[in-house]
């Protein structure tokens, strides 16, 4: 792939990620709060009777709408955009690195394996995910810390620079890479997503191209092609997210400030033991509501940018 092609995919990936991040930021904040072990927004308690007669309190998390309402009441609308700064700083390079690595890997894998096969898409998505995660994990850690920083109206909010300073003072450079093991586990979601997406995309474009050739011999893409790509992206992301979602909860727990969670497997074990298996899917509804349109917008923007730049 030429240098120009690489730059095209870098720019297109950055544009897609930025547009999606801005439009879906409030849902990202609600999702992160629901995934957290913090009881700041927990509103109901279930008292259980222990064997020795003592009472045990199990705190239950609110639903997405109630969490959204509490954020608006206690912190104000601005809190729904907490972490947007690091998100915008990170999403463009992250998606740019991801899509450039994906397209480069796919180009090389096509020479070694059957072109555009499932294995090509799986390996390419995996390599792209690993590259992007390793390069940008510190940015996402800061974003998560800011989103979890719940302050009442009028209270001074922690800035990104202050957050960076606190992470470094507490854990040193290693602190910026907390949760990376869970992110690596999340590569499985990316792989599943791109395998399904590429399969749907190829079939849709082949069908529509054949129909156009039968009609007037024109193979130029139109707006309906990009709508189809958005639907393909939404479908593939839904399937992948439902399968691999628990890594999202584990990653948020590992990134919490002063957390008792130390490693991926230890966190899984502790969450299941203390809160039950359902806790591994806390915030899934909000995540789907955010991720599906975000992915559809991102992929459609990416495809449109590539198409326009390569004309």
């Amino acid at each position: 792939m030429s240098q120009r092609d690489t730059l095209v995919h870098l720019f297109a990936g950055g544009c897609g990620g930025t547009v999606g991040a801005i439009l879906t930021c409030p849902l990202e904040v609600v999702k992160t709060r629901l995934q957290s072990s913090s009881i700041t927004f927990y509103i109901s308690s279930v008292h259980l009777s222990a064997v020795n007669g003592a009472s045990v309190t199990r705190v239950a998390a609110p639903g997405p709408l109630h969490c959204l309402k509490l954020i608006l009441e206690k912190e104000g609308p601005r809190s729904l955009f907490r972490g947007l700064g690091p998100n915008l700083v990170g999403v463009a390079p992250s998606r740019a690195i991801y899509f450039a690595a994906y397209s480069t890997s796919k180009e090389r894998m096509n020479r070694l394996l059957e072109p555009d096969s499932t294995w090509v898409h799986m390996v390419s998505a995996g390599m792209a995910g690993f590259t992007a995660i390793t390069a940008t994990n510190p940015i996402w850690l800061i974003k998560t810390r800011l989103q979890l920083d719940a302050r009442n109206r009028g209270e001074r909010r922690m800035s990104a620079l202050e957050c960076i300073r606190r992470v470094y003072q507490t854990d040193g450079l290693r602190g910026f890479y907390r949760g990376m093991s869970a992110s690596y586990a999340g590569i499985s979601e990316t792989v599943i997503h791109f395998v399904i997406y590429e399969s749907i995309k190829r079939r849709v474009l082949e069908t529509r191209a054949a129909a156009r050739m039968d009609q007037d011999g024109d193979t130029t893409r139109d707006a309906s092609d990009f709508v189809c790509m958005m639907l393909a992206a939404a479908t593939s992301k839904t399937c992948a997210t439902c399968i691999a979602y628990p890594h999202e909860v584990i990653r948020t727990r590992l990134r919490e400030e002063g957390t008792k969670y130390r490693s991926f497997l230890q966190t899984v074990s502790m969450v299941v033991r203390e809160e039950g298996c359902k806790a591994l899917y806390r915030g899934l509804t909000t995540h789907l509501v955010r991720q599906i349109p975000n992915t559809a917008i991102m992929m459609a923007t990416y495809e449109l940018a590539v198409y326009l730049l390569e004309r």
Side-chain angles (χ1 to χ4, degrees):
M1 190 166 62
S2 68
Q3 184 178 7
R4 181 182 181 279
D5 289 335
T6 301
L7 291 175
V8 165
H9 287 280
L10 276 166
F11 180 77
C15 288
T18 300
V19 173
I22 293 173
L23 295 179
T24 60
C25 185
L27 292 172
E28 170 77 8
V29 173
V30 173
K31 180 208 73 172
T32 303
R33 296 287 179 89
L34 290 173
Q35 290 174 343
S36 171
S37 65
S38 171
I39 62 171
T40 303
F41 287 102
Y42 288 9
I43 55 174
S44 61
S45 300
V46 179
H47 295 276
L48 306 174
S49 297
V51 176
N52 60 4
S55 63
V56 177
T57 301
R58 176 170 292 178
V59 184
L65 291 178
H66 204 145
C67 183
L68 176 63
K69 179 182 176 182
L70 288 171
I71 292 174
L72 289 172
E73 288 178 350
K74 293 186 176 183
E75 302 178 52
R78 286 183 59 190
S79 286
L80 292 176
F81 291 90
R82 294 286 291 160
L84 180 58
N87 211 356
L88 292 180
V89 169
V91 72
S94 174
R95 291 303 178 183
I97 291 168
Y98 184 91
F99 281 109
Y102 178 76
S103 58
T104 301
S105 298
K106 189 167 76 169
E107 181 81 13
R108 293 180 179 177
M109 288 299 106
N110 277 336
R111 300 172 190 165
L112 301 175
L113 304 172
E114 181 184 349
D116 290 323
S117 64
T118 299
W119 280 108
V120 168
H121 296 148
M122 288 178 66
V123 174
S124 300
M127 293 178 68
F130 183 88
T131 302
I133 288 167
T134 304
T136 60
N137 192 79
I139 299 173
W140 305 133
L141 179 128
I142 299 303
K143 181 203 73 173
T144 300
R145 291 282 177 92
L146 291 175
Q147 290 176 339
L148 294 177
D149 182 46
R151 307 288 178 99
N152 291 329
R153 291 175 185 267
E155 292 184 349
R156 180 178 174 274
R157 301 174 187 275
M158 181 171 62
S159 66
L161 289 177
E162 183 182 351
C163 184
I164 292 171
R165 187 161 50 247
R166 289 173 63 168
V167 172
Y168 183 75
Q169 290 174 346
T170 304
D171 299 315
L173 290 176
R174 289 183 59 188
F176 292 100
Y177 290 90
R178 292 188 63 83
M180 196 158 65
S181 58
S183 293
Y184 285 148
I187 291 176
S188 60
E189 177 181 336
T190 304
V191 171
I192 296 169
H193 161 52
F194 264 93
V195 168
I196 299 174
Y197 173 73
E198 290 283 3
S199 177
I200 297 175
K201 171 186 166 183
R202 183 175 63 251
R203 293 183 182 182
V204 168
L205 292 181
E206 287 176 353
T207 302
R208 295 178 67 83
R212 287 198 187 96
M213 290 295 291
D214 290 340
Q215 292 174 2
D216 53 15
D218 184 14
T219 59
T220 304
R221 292 187 186 181
D222 56 29
S224 61
D225 285 323
F226 296 104
V227 172
C228 289
M229 289 176 195
M230 291 180 72
L231 294 175
T235 301
S236 60
K237 193 62 178 181
T238 301
C239 296
T241 298
C242 290
I243 294 170
Y245 182 75
H247 89 273
E248 290 265 353
V249 175
I250 302 306
R251 184 173 60 197
T252 296
R253 300 296 179 93
L254 286 170
R255 288 175 175 172
E256 291 176 355
E257 185 173 8
T259 183
K260 59 186 176 182
Y261 306 109
R262 295 288 176 263
S263 66
F264 183 82
L265 293 179
Q266 179 256 1
T267 304
V268 172
S269 175
M270 185 173 292
V271 170
V272 171
R273 185 174 65 252
E274 294 181 351
E275 304 172 52
C277 293
K278 288 180 64 176
L280 293 175
Y281 288 90
R282 184 179 293 160
L284 175 59
T285 302
T286 307
H287 185 63
L288 286 174
V289 171
R290 169 195 171 271
Q291 195 75 320
I292 293 172
N294 179 60
T295 302
I297 293 166
M298 181 185 68
M299 296 301 294
T301 304
Y302 166 73
E303 297 284 0
L304 178 61
V306 170
Y307 174 67
L308 293 175
L309 291 170
E310 288 186 340
R311 291 185 66 179

